[in-house]
Amino acid sequence: MEHTKISTIEGLNKYREKILESKKNELPTVFVCGGTPCLAKGSRQVFEAFKKEFGAQGLTGSVELGIKTTGCQGFCNKGPLVAFADKDIVYMGVKPEHVPEIIEKTVKKGEVIESLGYRDPQTKKWATEYSRIPFYGHQKKLVLKDVGQLDPAKIDDYISRGGYSALAKAFSMNPDTIIDNIEQSGLRGRGGGGFPTGRKWRSCKAIKTDVRYVICNGDEGDPGAFMDRSIMEGNPHAIIEGMIIGAYAVGSNQGYAYIRDEYPLAIENMKTAIEDARGLGLLGKNILGSNFDFDIKISRGGGAFVCGESSALMRSIGGNVGEPRAKYIRSVEKGLYDKPTVLNNVETWANVPLIITGGVQGYRKVGTKGSPGTKVFSLAGKVVNTGLVEVPMGITLRELVFDIGGGIPKGKKFKAVQTGGPSGGCIPESLLDLQIDFDSLSDAGSMMGSGGIIVMDEDTCMVDVAKYFITFLVGESCGKCTPCREGLRRMLDILTGITEGRGKQGDIELLEELCDVLKWGALCALGTSAANPVLSTIRYFRDEYEAHIKEKRCPAGVCKELITYRIDEDKCTGCTVCAKKCPQKCISGEKKKPHTIDASKCIKCGVCKTVCPFDAVIVE
Amino acid sequence: MEKIKFVIDGKEVEAIRDQCVLDVARQNGIYIPGLCYNPEVKFSGGSCRLCLVEAHQAGRMSLVTACNYPIREGLEIKTDTSLVKRIRKGIIELLLARVPDSDVIKELAAEAGIDEPRFVKDEGENYHSKCIACGLCIQVCEEVVGVSAIAMLNRGPDKTPGTPYKKPSEVCIGCGACAYACPTDAIPMEDNGDTRKIWGREFKMHLCSVCGKPYIPEAQIDWIVKTTGKDRVFFDKCPDCR
Ligand SMILES: Cc1cc2nc3c(=O)[nH]c(=O)nc-3n(C[C@H](O)[C@H](O)[C@H](O)COP(=O)(O)O)c2cc1C
Ligand code: SF4
Ligand code: FES
């Protein structure tokens, strides 16, 4: 569509009608998932194949319009995913050779190709409708509703689906009423802390000042997390719309989107979206005739995990080293460039238009009393279905892991689920029926964090898990304050000792003491929450710590120094495969007779266990 | 400046709004340890965490660093509770393991009742001399001197102040402000006749025309003349002979 500035709310409505009119006679748009995992599985080739096939069939007119790469559609391990505009159909594992049939049947006639759908591993039945695929059926997509259903690089797509109507509505409201609405909606920050968003806005507004800033935190430093990236890549206008509404409510004319440098596609899509919004007059001077001016700059994050922390982030935007600054005057009072500043997370901002559009009551229908709305999680680890999911707050961990996640692969037993990112905690099986909301997770010794969920099975050593996260945090500690800089490395020494068979009586208590010092004494939340992985594993898996320390035994068979490999004489058939593959050549025995491992030479690489066809290698 | 009252260790005390707790405590003879804060240096503090105290405000308690906690209406500070002592002791033990040779830290450890740290003392490759990485030297050089000859090298546990790439700094003027400011006396500065050695560089000292004492590096005079336009003649005599 031709892009001229829209100067009134009515103009925006007319513009939307025009887009809808022009789309009427189009074939349904095909969405090939363009999320990073799908790209890695060849979705670009699928996209190209669609383009080519449209051309070959003389459907040229709709080639460009008919195909859109989209943001992440969620079910990453089944990619590449293909979806269709306003149709309850999703295809998985699509290859270029499927494309002609898809166009022939689904695009032109609306017929379903069952065999490209989801096959239930138990019932062996096929399903192509979202609602009948458990991975999608248990989810509640509000923030992610449009991700995967529109082209993030096209503002018309967003507007045609009702985009920027929340902004239009907001302009008809008193800014204080907007803050009231956000406060009453119960929206809490999705960046980890769960701070009430409305209260933050109100405190910022209460400060007398000439300049205020709003910032979007798109640093997302949790290893393996990609919730915020998916929203920035898949539906950037939702974030921008939220930011304009927030800025209007608190009275700010300048916003910043702080995005980590490792997210080039997120930066590109946000940039395009900002430019397009500016082109239509949705950013800039006198937006939609409201007399309100606002614009957004993109600031690239330095990449360190701690840069996502609010004072470090503001220093980083200001051109300084991204290091937390000890200060007790909150950033709503003195933030970026010492001016009152509202900092919210990507997902938090994307919730704002939903509240304005649906109203407080509508918004509170989903979720719990203390944590209304939904939360986006990235589901990873030892779970059948991995990917991006959005669930109503209050759903149980069990539903998340077993219904949506499909349970643990290879018939293994569930052991724990880690939530909250590197400084979150591990929750055991006995708490699987715990509700997912900000308060329940903190009470259980973990936290919501930004939404990383890692599922662990019986083969996971919980001391090793604690060591893994503390190693990460030692590397990310900025080193400014004593408890975090010194305490974490001492904790790591102790944990390493325990996993290597040097654990002593009193180690657990010393770890607990160090956790206490960090929790109370560290300068920023990286340090104060760094105790969680250790404390939660001690709290729920103390017996594993004790087995390592007292019996020099790793019950999960993970810690190399504490395990031995041996061959079960009854199971071994003397096939010699292991002896041939052993890099140390320390397995011996006659053909067709049970073999033995020379423990003095064994380096515990595990090759024998992997190659043995008879499951005869025992780890103790 | 708005004067307000607040309570510290049960005593009502007057202060200026937003003044930090540590300054007021010290003015009132209340002892709170603290190494990384210097009232003359605006951005100092907040790093060593030795000055932690309990802040009670609006019905909530939190542990805060006295060196940068702003005094506001209704604040009550407790400097000597069991929580404060416990966390402070933990921090001192960590510092003692880091810099077992520092007299300042050894004294604090003795006060807290620590004989030996329960962690392996840093030595060999891990030796930090007496440096607790508080960063005050860097802030002084940047803020007070205005030179920024030193910075934090590395981050996390390896954080350590130094000249860029550990090479002798070209911008350093040899004034020694960092060494004077260091709370643990960790920066080696050697004055030897008419030369001074600091941060791996040798500076020629200027001699007083009256008493003949070497009292200021030539490079520092150049710097002052350049930045303030002061007459070079002024530096002929040392402060004692002026
Ligand atoms: C070490 C550390 C890292 C953080 N990283 C992020 C991050 O990547 N993204 C984010 O939104 N918030 C992050 N936070 C939380 C922010 O400090 C801040 O609370 C948040 O952006 C506020 O927005 P919200 O209220 O909408 O959650 C981090 C905090 C800490 C202590
Ligand atoms: S807690 Fe860790 S990351 Fe935060 S300021 Fe202290 S050293 Fe830096
Ligand atoms: S003196 Fe306050 S933290 Fe060091």
Side-chain angles (χ1 to χ4, degrees):
Chain A
M1 290 256 308
E2 200 184 314
H3 286 187
T4 44
K5 289 212 176 179
I6 305 170
S7 54
T8 58
I9 290 174
E10 211 153 87
L12 177 66
N13 293 337
K14 284 219 183 90
Y15 185 82
R16 181 175 298 116
E17 277 161 25
K18 249 166 59 192
I19 305 171
L20 289 173
E21 185 63 31
S22 74
K23 286 193 179 215
K24 241 177 166 172
N25 298 321
E26 282 175 16
L27 286 173
T29 310
V30 179
F31 301 108
V32 179
C33 181
T36 316
C38 275
L39 283 176
K41 287 187 174 163
S43 69
R44 191 174 297 282
Q45 285 83 326
V46 174
F47 168 74
E48 294 299 339
F50 267 107
K51 249 172 125 173
K52 214 170 110 202
E53 190 61 24
F54 268 127
Q57 293 204 22
L59 302 166
T60 15
S62 45
V63 179
E64 229 62 59
L65 293 165
I67 302 283
K68 307 200 164 181
T69 40
T70 63
C72 183
Q73 297 182 5
F75 207 175
C76 300
N77 60 330
K78 299 274 186 213
L81 303 181
V82 171
F84 306 88
D86 304 312
K87 281 198 193 314
D88 189 10
I89 299 175
V90 58
Y91 292 153
M92 314 184 170
V94 177
K95 298 204 173 68
E97 56 264 33
H98 297 132
V99 167
E101 193 189 353
I102 296 178
I103 292 188
E104 208 44 50
K105 292 193 173 150
T106 313
V107 176
K108 287 190 184 161
K109 302 185 203 140
E111 289 169 13
V112 163
I113 307 168
E114 288 258 294
S115 61
L116 284 174
Y118 171 78
R119 192 169 191 209
D120 191 290
Q122 257 103 53
T123 63
K124 308 280 179 224
K125 288 215 174 91
W126 295 92
T128 55
E129 301 98 316
Y130 286 105
S131 49
R132 278 182 51 219
I133 301 169
F135 178 78
Y136 289 110
H138 285 83
Q139 295 192 46
K140 177 86 193 165
K141 297 224 176 192
L142 296 178
V143 170
L144 295 182
K145 183 169 68 68
D146 287 340
V147 172
Q149 294 285 321
L150 53 70
D151 181 346
K154 295 225 166 79
I155 192 168
D156 286 3
D157 270 22
Y158 184 68
I159 294 179
S160 72
R161 300 177 74 87
Y164 289 106
S165 57
L167 178 65
K169 186 172 172 191
F171 280 148
S172 69
M173 295 159 78
N174 183 311
D176 286 319
T177 315
I178 298 175
I179 298 183
D180 289 344
N181 271 267
I182 300 296
E183 202 157 23
Q184 286 155 15
S185 76
L187 175 64
R188 294 171 70 172
R190 302 296 197 244
F195 191 85
T197 307
R199 202 195 303 163
K200 187 185 281 185
W201 293 14
R202 191 179 298 291
S203 333
C204 181
K205 180 136 205 206
I207 309 292
K208 285 209 175 57
T209 177
D210 49 343
V211 180
R212 281 191 193 83
Y213 296 108
V214 297
I215 305 178
C216 169
N217 190 343
D219 192 52
E220 194 162 58
D222 294 19
F226 56 104
M227 297 71 66
D228 295 345
R229 186 182 80 191
S230 300
I231 304 173
M232 290 187 281
E233 288 180 0
N235 195 8
H237 284 288
I239 305 164
I240 294 168
E241 187 175 5
M243 288 179 75
I244 309 174
I245 296 170
Y248 173 67
V250 302
S252 157
N253 304 114
Q254 182 63 57
Y256 288 85
Y258 187 83
I259 311 172
R260 72 188 288 106
D261 223 16
E262 288 90 332
Y263 284 177
L265 186 59
I267 295 177
E268 189 186 311
N269 289 3
M270 283 291 284
K271 213 164 131 193
T272 309
I274 290 171
E275 281 162 12
D276 291 350
R278 209 178 278 141
L280 282 182
L282 296 165
L283 283 173
K285 296 247 176 275
N286 191 14
I287 300 170
L288 295 181
S290 62
N291 264 330
F292 170 68
D293 307 340
F294 180 67
D295 214 327
I296 301 173
K297 281 189 196 145
I298 289 182
S299 182
R300 288 165 171 238
F305 176 58
V306 80
C307 286
E309 191 275 338
S310 97
S311 65
L313 180 147
M314 291 181 202
R315 278 175 60 79
S316 175
I317 294 181
N320 297 302
V321 182
E323 197 171 83
R325 164 80 63 77
K327 53 175 215 168
Y328 294 101
I329 299 180
R330 294 163 309 155
S331 48
V332 289
E333 220 176 293
K334 258 183 165 192
L336 183 63
Y337 305 119
D338 280 344
K339 297 291 179 188
T341 302
V342 165
L343 170 71
N344 278 123
N345 163 261
V346 166
E347 193 183 330
T348 314
W349 286 120
N351 267 282
V352 170
L354 300 174
I355 297 168
I356 300 299
T357 305
V360 170
Q361 292 318 317
Y363 185 78
R364 292 195 79 111
K365 275 201 194 110
V366 178
T368 66
K369 194 158 171 284
S371 307
T374 60
K375 178 76 192 88
V376 181
F377 290 104
S378 67
L379 195 57
K382 298 289 171 53
V383 58
V384 174
N385 306 325
T386 57
L388 200 69
V389 304
E390 181 176 357
V391 297
M393 295 269 196
I395 186 178
T396 65
L397 282 168
R398 190 186 300 282
E399 286 171 89
L400 185 59
V401 175
F402 288 92
D403 294 338
I404 296 175
I408 316 300
K410 297 189 200 142
K412 297 269 183 185
K413 256 187 76 190
F414 171 90
K415 184 164 198 176
V417 46
Q418 204 270 354
T419 75
S423 39
C426 296
I427 298 171
E429 188 173 13
S430 61
L431 292 180
L432 263 178
D433 291 310
L434 191 78
Q435 283 198 352
I436 301 180
D437 62 59
F438 288 102
D439 309 310
S440 309
L441 288 174
S442 311
D443 291 346
S446 183
M447 57 184 196
M448 178 74 83
S450 53
I453 300 258
I454 302 171
V455 181
M456 297 166 183
D457 69 4
E458 56 188 316
D459 291 338
T460 317
C461 165
M462 299 313 286
V463 186
D464 186 59
V465 165
K467 187 176 92 178
Y468 170 82
F469 286 112
I470 297 301
T471 308
F472 174 83
L473 292 166
V474 167
E476 295 300 326
S477 160
C478 83
K480 186 177 172 100
C481 72
T482 312
C484 176
R485 184 189 61 233
E486 305 296 330
L488 279 176
R489 66 182 171 111
R490 299 302 178 179
M491 263 155 74
L492 183 57
D493 284 348
I494 299 170
L495 289 167
T496 307
I498 296 176
T499 56
E500 290 177 358
R502 286 178 278 110
K504 310 185 288 293
Q505 196 73 34
D507 274 358
I508 299 180
E509 291 71 19
L510 189 53
L511 279 174
E512 286 172 326
E513 272 187 54
L514 284 168
C515 288
D516 187 41
V517 172
L518 268 158
K519 229 165 65 180
W520 285 102
L523 186 160
C524 84
L526 187 149
T528 55
S529 60
N532 287 333
V534 176
L535 286 181
S536 66
T537 47
I538 293 180
R539 174 164 162 194
Y540 298 120
F541 302 94
R542 200 181 181 101
D543 53 332
E544 272 191 54
Y545 277 83
E546 280 169 352
H548 282 77
I549 295 172
K550 290 185 188 149
E551 302 159 37
K552 307 289 174 223
R553 186 171 67 81
C554 174
V558 172
C559 299
K560 275 194 182 179
E561 274 77 0
L562 303 182
I563 52 175
T564 48
Y565 282 80
R566 151 176 102 73
I567 292 172
D568 184 341
E569 284 180 29
D570 297 334
K571 281 191 181 167
C572 177
T573 62
C575 75
T576 74
V577 166
C578 60
K580 285 189 193 117
K581 295 277 175 187
C582 172
Q584 287 296 93
K585 297 280 167 253
C586 67
I587 303 180
S588 55
E590 274 177 54
K591 237 188 202 160
K592 307 219 167 134
K593 296 235 171 88
H595 280 45
T596 50
I597 297 175
D598 179 353
S600 67
K601 287 197 202 135
C602 172
I603 55 165
K604 297 160 193 175
C605 66
V607 164
C608 50
K609 188 171 165 62
T610 321
V611 297
C612 177
F614 306 101
D615 213 10
V617 179
I618 302 170
V619 185
E620 292 172 318
Chain B
M1 274 191 253
E2 197 188 334
K3 289 230 161 148
I4 51 175
K5 289 202 163 90
F6 80 109
V7 176
I8 179 160
D9 288 346
K11 223 170 64 174
E12 198 177 62
V13 167
E14 195 167 77
I16 298 163
R17 188 174 197 266
D18 282 350
Q19 204 180 0
C20 79
V21 171
L22 189 59
D23 282 350
V24 183
R26 288 186 176 164
Q27 282 157 21
N28 284 278
I30 293 169
Y31 168 73
I32 300 170
L35 295 176
C36 69
Y37 171 69
N38 183 325
E40 307 296 321
V41 188
K42 190 166 155 217
F43 289 126
S44 68
S47 136
C48 75
R49 317 302 288 173
L50 287 166
C51 66
L52 287 168
V53 293
E54 276 184 25
H56 297 253
Q57 200 154 28
R60 268 205 296 262
M61 189 281 283
S62 48
L63 220 52
V64 304
T65 39
C67 65
N68 57 6
Y69 195 77
I71 297 170
R72 298 254 169 120
E73 300 76 4
L75 172 68
E76 180 177 2
I77 293 287
K78 295 182 182 171
T79 71
D80 210 25
T81 65
S82 58
L83 175 66
V84 168
K85 285 190 210 158
R86 184 174 89 222
I87 305 304
R88 185 184 294 161
K89 185 172 175 182
I91 292 169
I92 294 172
E93 184 175 3
L94 287 169
L95 286 176
L96 185 63
R98 177 188 168 94
V99 289
D101 298 340
S102 159
D103 294 329
V104 179
I105 301 296
K106 276 197 273 191
E107 235 168 76
L108 282 168
E111 247 171 63
I114 307 168
D115 296 330
E116 283 291 316
R118 286 167 293 174
F119 315 108
V120 183
K121 290 184 198 166
D122 286 345
E123 50 190 11
E125 243 179 63
N126 282 330
Y127 189 60
H128 302 285
S129 169
K130 295 173 190 164
C131 173
I132 59 166
C134 73
L136 189 55
C137 49
I138 291 160
Q139 285 150 351
V140 166
C141 186
E142 179 183 338
E143 242 183 84
V144 182
V145 186
V147 164
S148 292
I150 44 177
M152 279 295 179
L153 312 177
N154 313 321
R155 51 198 294 274
D158 302 324
K159 191 166 204 151
T160 181
T163 50
Y165 309 104
K166 295 196 173 175
K167 293 225 175 79
S169 156
E170 278 171 27
V171 292
C172 177
I173 56 171
C175 71
C178 50
Y180 299 124
C182 176
T184 53
D185 207 5
I187 302 176
M189 178 167 84
E190 268 174 58
D191 281 347
N192 218 331
D194 62 353
T195 59
R196 166 178 289 176
K197 254 178 148 170
I198 187 166
W199 294 117
R201 224 183 108 183
E202 243 183 43
F203 291 89
K204 189 156 166 24
M205 299 296 277
H206 183 77
L207 310 183
C208 171
S209 61
V210 181
C211 66
K213 191 171 73 182
Y215 86 96
I216 185 171
E218 298 283 3
Q220 189 178 357
I221 300 180
D222 294 345
W223 168 256
I224 298 173
V225 170
K226 197 176 103 195
T227 51
T228 66
K230 223 178 189 127
D231 194 343
R232 194 172 282 275
V233 177
F234 175 83
F235 297 98
D236 262 5
K237 300 176 196 163
C238 75
D240 293 341
C241 302
R242 268 174 216 158

